[in-house]
Amino acid sequence: MTLKDNYLIVTKYSPSGIISWEINTSNARRDSILKEWQAGFKKDQVYTSKSTYSKTVTGIDTVIFQNNADYGLIVCYVGILFILIIRIGYQKVNRHRRVISQGMVFNFIVLAVLAGVLDVFENIGTSRMLHLFRLKEALPGVWTICIFAWAKYLLLAIVASKLLYESFKLGKPRFWLDYVSAWLGKLLTYSWRFRIVLLTLLTFFMGIFVSDQIQDMLLSINTSRSASFYFLASTTLLALMCWHLPKAIDNSIKISYKAFFMGPVDFNTRLQAGARPAGKVDVGRLLGAAAFLIPATGILHTMNVYHINYLLNGISPLVLLVASLGFYKIVLRYNWIDRIYKSGTTVIQWRYWLTIALLLLPMFIWGYGYGKQSREPYFLAYLSLDLVFLSVMFMITVTLRTSVPAIAKWRAAPWIIFSGLAAMLFFILCNFPPILNELTSGNRFYTMPIVLCAIAGYLLFFSFLLFAGKKVGISMITFLLLFTLYRSVSTITTYHEAHVQKQKNYQKSLDSLNNYTEQWLNSRKQEIKAFVAQHPGKSYPVFFVNAYGGGIRATVWTTMVIGTLDSLLKSGYKGDNQVKDFQHYVFSYSGASGGTVGLSLLCSARYQYRQNVSADTVFYPVNSLAVYRNDYLTSDIVALLGRDMLASALGIAPWTDRARLMEEDWERHTYAHHMDLGVTMGRMWKGGNYEVPLLFANTFDVDSGKKGISAPVLLDSLDFPSTVFLEQEIEDPGDLRLSTAAFLSARFPYVSPTAKLNGKHHFTDGGTWDNSGAETSLGVLNVFERVRSKLIKEDSIFNYIQPQFLSLPNSVKRTEPIGKPKNLFEPLAPPVGILNSRVGYMKKSDGWNYSLSKMKHYGFYLFKPTTDQVPNTSIWPVLPLGWQISDYAMNRMQVSVLRDSAEINRVLARFGIVRKKEN
C-alpha cells in the first residue's frame, strides 16, 4: 500500500519518492517537489453502488495515501524490531552470560518505539504541510518534517547495526544462508520431482486469474446449482489427484504397477541422508490444498473485477492465496491438527466428525436453502467459501486418515485413480460431437467441469508415464514428446484445411465490385429522389460499417448496435413507407474476428428475410440475447485438448477439426432463429440481392504476410493491393460457406487453428494486423465513389448521396496509468513493440477514415461500449474475450447501447429523427 502509484512521486527533485521528501532540508527544493507532485497525475475509475465516474489522482493524492498507509507500516516494523531484540536478548554466549543484558534489551526496545513515535510525528507534519499547500497558505519550514525523519533513521540505524553486529557474533548470517540454501534446494528438488502436478496447478492458476472468459464463465456457473456442484466435484477430484499422485511418483521404484492403481501408496522414506519424510508429506498435502485455494481466491479475483463487494475485498486475492498456503504450512509444520484431534496416538473421533459436519452444513444451506437468492452474483463469495471449507476438510482428513478407523479401511488409491480414469473416459466421450451436443444443449455450464476432467485425465496419464519411466529407467514423456514433434514436422495432412463446400454443377459467377456498385446505385435511383424530396437539405446516407474483433463480445456488440438502429429507425418513421430499416442504407460490412461473425449473422438473417425485410427483428434489443444463450465454447476447447491434439501428434486427419466444429455449432444454434450460416457466399448475393449488405471478411495470410478478404464479389488488386482474395482462389464447383468465411476471420491464435487453403496459404485471425476492418471499408468506399462519379455524369441525382462511416469497437476505454519505464522494459521492448504495432495500425486505419470524412464532408460515427452497471444489481460485468458470454455481460452491453446513445442519435439525425431525452 505504501508503494501504490509510486511512479507519480518519483520525479527530478524527489528521485527516491517519499524518502526524498522526508530527508529534504531545503525549503526551495520542497516547493519544487510539491509543484512536480501537483503536476503529475493519472485517471482512475471509481465504482460506487449506484454509478461509476472518472477521478484524477495527482502525486499529492498519492503521497497522502502513502502517508496514511505508513501508520500501519510503523506498527509492522516496530513490532518486528521488538521481536528481534527480544530473541537476541534470549541468546547466550554460555550457560551463565547472555549476549546482551536485560537492561540493554529494554534500552533498544525504547529506541525502536521512539523511532516509531518520531515517524508518527513526521507523518503528522507531512499531512499538515500537504493540507496547507492545497489551501495555498504559507507553509512551515521543512525542519518540522526532516528533524523527525533524520532522528528516526538515526535510531533505526543504531538498532539495526546492533542487531546485525550481535547476529554476526552468533554466526546467524551463516545459519540463515545455510537455511535458505537448504530450503531452495528442497524447493528445486520437489519442483522437479512433482513437476507434472505443479504444471497442472500453474495452468489452473493462469486460467482462473488471467482469462476474462473464465471469470465471466464463473458467473454463469453460479446461476445453476447443478453447475456449481459439478464444478466443486471436479475441483475436488483434481485436488485429490494432486495430493495422491506425487506419492506414487516418488516411490515408483518400490511399488508395482498394480499398486499404482490399487495401492497402498506412500512416499519413499529415503529421500536423502538425515531427511525426514514429513517434508514430502507436507508438500503433497499442500499441493492438494492449493487445488482448492487457487479457484477459491480466483473467484474473489473475479468478484473484484466485477466490483462485487465481499468481506475481504480490500486484500489482494493473491495475498490471500499465499497467506492461506503459508498458514497451512505452519499448521503442518507444528502438527496443530494432531494436537487438536488426537489424544496421544488416538484420534478423538467425535471432534473430527463434528468438524466435518459443521463444515458441510453451511455448504448444504448455501446450496439449497436460499432459493433464487443463491443465484445472485454476490453468492460467488459462498462458492469461494465452499472451496475453502473443502480445503480444510481435505487437510484434516488426509492428516488423520490412518488413525480414524472408518477412514483407514478405505483404500484411497483405487477411489482416486479410477475416478481419474472415469474423468478421462468422460472427456474422451465429449470428443464425439453428438454426445457433447446433447450434454451442452440449452446451457453454458459444462465448460469448466469438462476442462477440469480433461486436466485430471492428462495429469493421470502423464503421471503414469513418469511412474513407468522411473521403473524402467527411460524417460517415456521425453520420448513421447520427441515422437509427436517428429510426426508433426515430417507429415503433411489435410487437417485444418478450410472447409470448401462442393456442390455438383455449381458455379459462383461472382459479379465484380464495380458492376455490383453500379447496379446497387441504379436500383436506388427513385428512392434517392423520394428521400431528397421528403428531407430537403439532406443527402441520402449510405453507410460503410466496420466492426472490430474481440471474440463473442464483438459479435454481440456488433449485432446489438445494428439491431438497435434498425428498430429505432423503423419506430421513428411509423407509417412512412419511404424509410426502411437501417441495414437498407448499409452498402458494405467489413469486419475482423468476432466482428466479422456478428456481421455474418446480420447478413444471414437479412438473407432469410429478403422477401419480407420488415420481419427481420431477430437482432432487435429485446430479441437478440436468445441467439447467444448457447454454448459456443465447449466443443472448441474439448477438441483443442482432445481430438485435435491427438490428430496433430500422430500426423493424421481422421475427423473434422475444432474450427469446423465451431462453425457447425453456430450453424446449428442459429438455425432455430431463422438464420442459415451454411449458405455459400456466391449463392447468398446472387441475383441482385441488394437488401443484404456486402460482407468483407478480413483474415491474415501467415505465409505471405498479406491481408486476406473473403467477399461475394470479384475484387481488383489495384483497389486492394497486397491482398489475397479467398473466393477468387477457390475454383468451381467449390465455394465457402458463410460460417467458414466468418471464422476464417475469427481464428484466435492457438485457440483456433490456422486454416490451410490450396496448399499455399495459412490463414489466421483477421485482427493479427488490422483488428478494425477499417482499411477494407475505405477500399470499398473508394470503389463506390469512383462508380458514383461516373453515374453523376448520367444523372445528377447521385450528387445527393453522402457516404457515412460507422465504426464499432467493442472494448471499454480504460483509464490505466502509463507509468514510467523500468530497467526490465529494455529486453521487453522489441516484442512489446511488435505486438503493439498491430494496435497502432488498427488506430491508424480508423484514423484514415476519420480524416477522409473531415476532408470530404462524409459522416463518421464511432460507437463503443462504456462501463455500465447491470440494472437491479451492483456489478459491472467484464466483456469476455472468448466464445461464451453470460447474461450479465450481454445486459451490460444492452444498457450501454441504449443509455450512451449520443452516436446513435447522430445517426438517426441523418434521417431527420430526433429522439426525446429520457430523464
Side-chain angles (χ1 to χ4, degrees):
M1 291 174 67
T2 55
L3 294 177
K4 183 179 180 182
D5 299 330
N6 197 58
Y7 70 91
L8 289 174
I9 60 173
V10 176
T11 64
K12 175 183 176 181
Y13 290 102
S14 57
S16 299
I18 197 73
I19 295 177
S20 298
W21 166 266
E22 293 172 350
I23 63 176
N24 171 53
T25 58
S26 167
N27 287 331
R29 188 181 183 91
R30 174 205 61 195
D31 295 339
S32 298
I33 291 174
L34 289 172
K35 289 177 181 178
E36 286 182 324
W37 285 354
Q38 183 66 24
F41 70 93
K42 72 163 190 174
K43 292 288 186 179
D44 204 0
Q45 200 73 13
V46 178
Y47 296 86
T48 68
S49 60
K50 298 294 182 182
S51 63
T52 178
Y53 58 91
S54 183
K55 176 184 177 183
T56 299
V57 179
T58 66
I60 299 293
D61 296 319
T62 302
V63 175
I64 292 172
F65 178 83
Q66 291 190 8
N67 197 57
N68 292 334
D70 190 47
Y71 290 106
L73 181 63
I74 293 170
V75 175
C76 290
Y77 76 69
V78 171
I80 291 171
L81 289 175
F82 187 88
I83 293 170
L84 291 175
I85 292 168
I86 292 177
R87 284 185 66 86
I88 289 291
Y90 273 100
Q91 301 293 316
K92 293 184 177 181
V93 178
N94 52 49
R95 288 173 52 187
H96 304 289
R97 187 167 70 87
R98 296 181 185 275
V99 173
I100 54 177
S101 65
Q102 295 302 301
M104 187 70 73
V105 169
F106 177 77
N107 290 336
F108 276 95
I109 288 176
V110 171
L111 291 179
V113 173
L114 183 58
V117 172
L118 291 172
D119 205 349
V120 170
F121 284 129
E122 173 202 315
N123 289 345
I124 293 172
T126 297
S127 296
R128 179 167 173 262
M129 188 85 73
L130 296 174
H131 178 69
L132 292 174
F133 175 76
R134 283 189 155 181
L135 295 176
K136 298 182 180 180
E137 296 182 4
L139 303 180
V142 294
W143 65 268
T144 57
I145 296 174
C146 70
I147 192 171
F148 296 110
W150 281 101
K152 173 193 72 174
Y153 284 122
L154 177 62
L155 293 178
L156 291 177
I158 293 171
V159 173
S161 299
K162 180 63 176 178
L163 289 173
L164 288 173
Y165 174 72
E166 297 299 342
S167 298
F168 272 101
K169 284 176 59 178
L170 292 168
K172 290 293 184 181
R174 181 176 179 180
F175 168 77
W176 293 333
L177 289 173
D178 289 342
Y179 179 84
V180 171
S181 298
W183 183 83
L184 289 175
K186 287 183 178 179
L187 178 64
L188 292 173
T189 300
Y190 292 144
S191 297
W192 176 250
R193 185 163 297 180
F194 307 138
R195 57 191 178 276
I196 304 298
V197 173
L198 283 176
L199 286 172
T200 299
L201 292 175
L202 180 62
T203 302
F204 198 17
F205 172 84
M206 294 298 291
I208 290 283
F209 275 86
V210 176
S211 172
D212 54 13
Q213 172 67 87
I214 293 181
Q215 292 161 12
D216 187 65
M217 196 183 302
L218 286 170
L219 252 73
S220 294
I221 288 174
N222 184 68
T223 59
S224 166
R225 289 195 183 102
S226 59
S228 299
F229 172 78
Y230 296 142
F231 174 66
L232 293 174
S234 54
T235 303
T236 300
L237 173 60
L238 186 62
L240 290 173
M241 294 179 70
C242 288
W243 161 70
H244 173 78
L245 290 173
K247 297 189 293 183
I249 293 171
D250 182 68
N251 206 14
S252 56
I253 303 298
K254 293 185 176 181
I255 64 176
S256 64
Y257 289 101
K258 179 181 178 182
F260 178 89
F261 293 95
M262 303 301 297
V265 174
D266 211 340
F267 284 103
N268 181 6
T269 57
R270 292 186 298 177
L271 175 63
Q272 56 187 13
R276 297 185 301 112
K280 290 184 289 186
V281 172
D282 290 353
V283 169
R285 292 169 181 172
L286 287 173
L287 291 174
F292 287 113
L293 295 175
I294 286 172
T297 52
I299 288 172
L300 298 183
H301 175 66
T302 298
M303 296 181 72
N304 284 339
V305 172
Y306 278 73
H307 307 286
I308 304 171
N309 289 324
Y310 58 92
L311 184 61
L312 301 176
N313 64 350
I315 304 175
S316 167
L318 283 176
V319 172
L320 292 175
L321 174 61
V322 173
S324 300
L325 290 173
F327 174 74
Y328 280 162
K329 173 61 179 174
I330 294 172
V331 169
L332 295 173
R333 176 68 179 82
Y334 294 101
N335 301 315
W336 288 0
I337 295 175
D338 287 338
R339 293 181 182 182
I340 294 172
Y341 292 96
K342 281 187 176 182
S343 176
T345 58
T346 306
V347 172
I348 304 173
Q349 293 194 42
W350 69 267
R351 289 186 185 176
Y352 168 77
W353 291 112
L354 178 62
T355 301
I356 298 299
L358 291 176
L359 291 172
L360 284 174
L361 181 61
M363 294 176 62
F364 280 109
I365 293 175
W366 296 333
Y368 297 96
Y370 281 81
K372 291 183 178 179
Q373 191 178 359
S374 65
R375 303 176 187 180
E376 294 299 319
Y378 73 87
F379 233 78
L380 274 170
Y382 296 97
L383 185 61
S384 178
L385 275 176
D386 286 342
L387 291 164
V388 172
F389 286 178
L390 286 172
S391 73
V392 174
M393 288 188 283
F394 166 80
M395 291 295 289
I396 295 172
T397 302
V398 297
T399 303
L400 302 176
R401 65 186 181 87
T402 57
S403 303
V404 179
I407 300 176
K409 65 182 181 181
W410 295 351
R411 299 181 64 182
W415 284 94
I416 295 173
I417 297 298
F418 284 99
S419 295
L421 288 172
M424 183 188 296
L425 177 61
F426 173 68
F427 174 69
I428 292 172
L429 291 175
C430 287
N431 278 268
F432 294 90
I435 296 176
L436 184 62
N437 293 341
E438 182 64 29
L439 181 67
T440 59
S441 176
N443 65 66
R444 292 162 286 172
F445 310 135
Y446 282 96
T447 309
M448 278 291 288
I450 291 175
V451 169
L452 288 173
C453 286
I455 293 174
Y458 277 113
L459 175 60
L460 179 59
F461 174 70
F462 282 106
S463 295
F464 180 75
L465 287 183
L466 189 58
F467 171 83
K470 285 178 174 289
K471 290 190 72 66
V472 300
I474 299 174
S475 181
M476 292 188 175
I477 294 178
T478 302
F479 275 99
L480 176 63
L481 294 177
L482 289 175
F483 171 75
T484 57
L485 178 62
Y486 164 75
R487 290 293 298 171
S488 297
V489 171
S490 62
T491 56
I492 299 176
T493 70
T494 58
Y495 209 53
H496 300 317
E497 282 276 358
H499 179 71
V500 177
Q501 184 72 36
K502 301 289 186 180
Q503 293 177 316
K504 224 174 185 182
N505 301 322
Y506 173 73
Q507 292 183 340
K508 284 183 289 191
S509 61
L510 301 180
D511 202 354
S512 69
L513 178 57
N514 275 315
N515 190 55
Y516 178 92
T517 305
E518 184 173 344
Q519 296 301 320
W520 189 92
L521 286 167
N522 282 323
S523 70
R524 278 166 167 70
K525 185 183 297 186
Q526 297 305 318
E527 183 181 325
I528 295 170
K529 291 179 180 178
F531 185 93
V532 172
Q534 189 171 356
H535 303 87
K538 289 186 179 294
S539 297
Y540 184 86
V542 177
F543 286 85
F544 297 80
V545 179
N546 64 279
Y548 282 57
I552 198 166
R553 74 172 183 227
T555 304
V556 176
W557 180 248
T558 300
T559 57
M560 194 171 284
V561 172
I562 300 300
T564 300
L565 285 169
D566 276 345
S567 62
L568 291 176
L569 197 59
K570 290 294 290 184
S571 62
Y573 273 92
K574 291 179 180 178
D576 187 346
N577 296 325
Q578 295 299 321
V579 176
K580 313 293 183 181
D581 58 4
F582 174 75
Q583 291 188 79
H584 177 76
Y585 300 93
V586 176
F587 179 78
S588 68
Y589 287 139
S590 173
S593 194
T596 304
V597 176
L599 297 174
S600 69
L601 293 176
L602 291 167
C603 290
S604 179
R606 197 79 173 168
Y607 174 74
Q608 291 298 101
Y609 288 102
R610 61 192 182 280
Q611 302 301 330
N612 183 15
V613 176
S614 61
D616 179 15
T617 61
V618 65
F619 290 113
Y620 282 19
V622 294
N623 303 332
S624 60
L625 302 189
V627 177
Y628 303 110
R629 288 194 178 109
N630 293 292
D631 189 343
Y632 296 109
L633 177 67
T634 304
S635 64
D636 184 63
I637 297 299
V638 167
L640 171 65
L641 298 175
R643 53 195 285 156
D644 276 21
M645 188 175 292
L646 181 62
S648 297
L650 298 179
I652 57 177
W655 44 62
T656 54
D657 69 346
R658 62 186 184 277
R660 181 61 193 143
L661 288 176
M662 178 169 279
E663 294 167 15
E664 291 175 347
D665 277 351
W666 282 86
E667 289 174 7
R668 184 177 69 258
H669 289 309
T670 56
Y671 188 78
H673 299 280
H674 307 288
M675 285 178 277
D676 183 10
L677 291 178
V679 65
T680 56
M681 295 282 284
R683 185 181 299 280
M684 190 167 176
W685 278 269
K686 197 171 185 178
N689 186 14
Y690 301 122
E691 277 298 325
V692 182
L694 285 178
L695 175 65
F696 294 83
N698 298 281
T699 183
F700 183 77
D701 183 17
V702 176
D703 298 280
S704 64
K706 297 178 181 179
K707 178 173 65 176
I709 299 178
S710 300
V713 289
L714 296 175
L715 304 177
D716 193 323
S717 59
L718 294 177
D719 297 316
F720 301 89
S722 190
T723 303
V724 180
F725 307 125
L726 278 74
E727 281 288 329
Q728 292 160 232
E729 291 269 333
I730 301 171
E731 298 179 356
D732 286 339
D735 198 0
L736 293 176
R737 297 161 78 101
L738 181 59
S739 62
T740 304
F743 280 96
L744 277 169
S745 177
R747 296 248 173 175
F748 192 82
Y750 302 112
V751 176
S752 298
T754 55
K756 304 174 184 177
L757 186 65
N758 291 349
K760 57 181 180 180
H761 299 292
H762 289 82
F763 292 104
T764 189
D765 196 273
T768 304
W769 186 242
D770 177 14
N771 195 45
S772 66
E775 183 186 58
T776 301
S777 196
L778 177 58
V780 175
L781 173 66
N782 289 335
V783 175
F784 181 89
E785 286 294 80
R786 185 177 66 228
V787 174
R788 185 166 75 97
S789 298
K790 172 190 166 185
L791 293 179
I792 288 174
K793 297 175 182 178
E794 301 173 6
D795 193 331
S796 61
I797 190 61
F798 293 111
N799 262 320
Y800 295 94
I801 289 178
Q802 185 182 36
Q804 313 282 322
F805 288 111
L806 175 59
S807 183
L808 299 177
N810 56 79
S811 59
V812 177
K813 184 177 180 180
R814 300 189 181 278
T815 55
E816 297 173 353
I818 297 174
K820 297 182 179 179
K822 300 181 180 179
N823 289 336
L824 187 61
F825 186 80
E826 189 62 31
L828 293 179
V832 169
I834 292 171
L835 290 173
N836 284 339
S837 64
R838 58 181 289 274
V839 179
Y841 191 82
M842 173 187 70
K843 294 179 179 178
K844 185 178 181 180
S845 298
D846 243 346
W848 282 336
N849 294 357
Y850 176 76
S851 299
L852 184 66
S853 70
K854 292 300 182 184
M855 291 186 292
K856 298 283 190 177
H857 303 289
Y858 299 157
F860 183 89
Y861 313 91
L862 187 144
F863 190 27
K864 67 191 313 179
T866 54
T867 303
D868 282 292
Q869 180 184 9
V870 174
N872 303 319
T873 72
S874 59
I875 67 170
W876 284 261
V878 299
L879 304 182
L881 183 62
W883 291 112
Q884 194 176 113
I885 190 167
S886 67
D887 285 347
Y888 295 102
M890 288 191 286
N891 288 334
R892 170 182 164 177
M893 283 189 279
Q894 192 175 52
V895 170
S896 184
V897 79
L898 294 174
R899 180 184 297 169
D900 302 289
S901 54
E903 289 296 281
I904 286 183
N905 287 339
R906 287 182 59 216
V907 173
L908 295 177
R910 296 300 312 150
F911 301 92
I913 300 175
V914 178
R915 288 199 296 168
K916 293 181 180 179
K917 291 184 178 180
E918 297 180 4
N919 295 327

